[in-house]
Amino acid sequence: LGDMLRDARLLRTGLVLFVLSSVLGVVLPSGPGLLLGRAIAWIAAGLVIPYAVGSVARAYDGATRATALGVVYAVMGGASAAAPALAL
């Protein structure tokens, strides 16, 4: 998808979808409304995360690229592990 469309266009689309998902969560606070908002957020993450990781990969080269991507993935993994505990 990123090859067919420009990266910046996908980033903007993903960010707009994130905002839309947040608004839906507030406007439709029922179970189905929250599920719809979360589903849109998952789609948005699928658009934004590859762009963010690609930006980091393009910003560094060599060993520093490996270190930078390691930090990115460590932060993402830590956030995924901490999210259930913080949601209580």
Side-chain angles (χ1 to χ4, degrees):
L1 192 59
D3 291 337
M4 294 185 317
L5 302 171
R6 293 189 323 250
D7 287 340
R9 187 178 187 187
L10 287 177
L11 177 64
R12 281 192 302 268
T13 302
L15 293 175
V16 167
L17 286 175
F18 265 124
V19 170
L20 178 63
S21 70
S22 297
V23 169
L24 280 176
V26 171
V27 174
L28 304 172
S30 65
L34 291 174
L35 288 176
L36 178 63
R38 291 303 304 152
I40 293 172
W42 293 330
I43 293 168
L47 295 174
V48 172
I49 290 174
Y51 177 81
V53 173
S55 295
V56 171
R58 285 189 298 271
Y60 299 97
D61 57 349
T64 54
R65 177 184 293 169
T67 302
L69 289 174
V71 169
V72 167
Y73 288 123
V75 169
M76 290 170 63
S80 295
L86 297 175
L88 296 176

